[in-house]
């Protein structure tokens, strides 16, 4: 990671995490993103024709589910968001992600682009999490 990116992430993080109520909203968004990623991976399990990747997609889905559970538990521990609001937001994510009425990310991108997307997104997440 470059020095400017690290400085930006550090400065933005210092501000974002200190705003009252913001940590709960950020963690809730992370939980939803992880759940969406889990669903993307399960879709990949279902749609891939590559047997060797099916197991890897499934393991990744389990890992994403664990992350979603951890973030959601932390939100609750911090006195997080209203359950009804979270459910509405979650249902919107299912529609946006293509799991209700549309194509999933895997179907839209195809396997090669899906794998590239996941690789880049995971690398970015690791950078951000380390900062």
């Amino acid at each position: 990671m470059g020095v400017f990116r690290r400085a930006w992430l550090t400065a933005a993080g210092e501000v974002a995490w200190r705003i009252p109520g913001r940590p709960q909203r950020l963690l809730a968004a992370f939980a939803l993103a992880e759940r969406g990623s889990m669903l993307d991976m399960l879709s990949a399990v279902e749609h891939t024709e590559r047997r060797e990747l099916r197991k890897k997609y499934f393991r990744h889905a389990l890992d994403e589910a664990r992350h979603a559970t951890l973030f959601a538990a932390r939100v609750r521990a911090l006195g997080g968001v209203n359950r009804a609001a979270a459910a509405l937001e979650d249902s919107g994510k299912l529609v946006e992600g293509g799991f209700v009425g549309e194509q999933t990310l895997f179907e839209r991108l195809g396997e090669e682009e899906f794998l590239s997307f996941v690789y880049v997104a995971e690398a970015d997440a690791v950078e951000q999490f380390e900062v």
Side-chain angles (χ1 to χ4, degrees):
M1 172 183 335
V3 67
F4 292 116
R5 179 163 167 78
R6 178 175 289 281
W8 165 250
L9 289 173
T10 300
E14 285 295 323
V15 172
W17 290 95
R18 293 186 190 279
I19 297 170
R22 182 82 172 151
Q24 293 91 326
R25 289 192 302 276
L26 287 171
L27 291 169
F30 293 159
L32 284 173
E34 294 295 307
R35 283 191 60 205
S37 295
M38 175 200 66
L39 294 171
D40 287 331
M41 289 297 143
L42 291 175
S43 172
V45 169
E46 182 180 355
H47 289 96
T48 189
E49 294 180 13
R50 299 172 65 183
R51 182 180 169 99
E52 74 280 6
L53 286 178
R54 196 167 288 124
K55 185 176 181 179
K56 292 177 182 181
Y57 288 144
F58 188 70
R59 281 188 179 155
H60 196 149
L62 292 175
D63 199 40
E64 298 291 38
R66 184 175 61 82
H67 296 157
T69 301
L70 290 170
F71 284 128
R74 188 66 184 139
V75 170
R76 285 191 302 277
L78 292 172
V81 294
N82 172 316
R83 256 185 194 264
L88 284 174
E89 188 174 347
D90 202 20
S91 66
K93 295 290 182 191
L94 291 174
V95 172
E96 284 174 27
F99 293 98
V100 178
E102 300 285 331
Q103 289 184 315
T104 64
L105 185 63
F106 185 93
E107 292 170 311
R108 284 194 308 267
L109 297 179
E111 190 149 36
E112 255 180 58
E113 274 189 67
F114 176 77
L115 282 169
S116 296
F117 174 83
V118 169
Y119 180 82
V120 170
E122 292 288 327
D124 284 349
V126 166
E127 279 186 349
Q128 292 174 18
F129 190 76
E130 286 176 352
V131 172

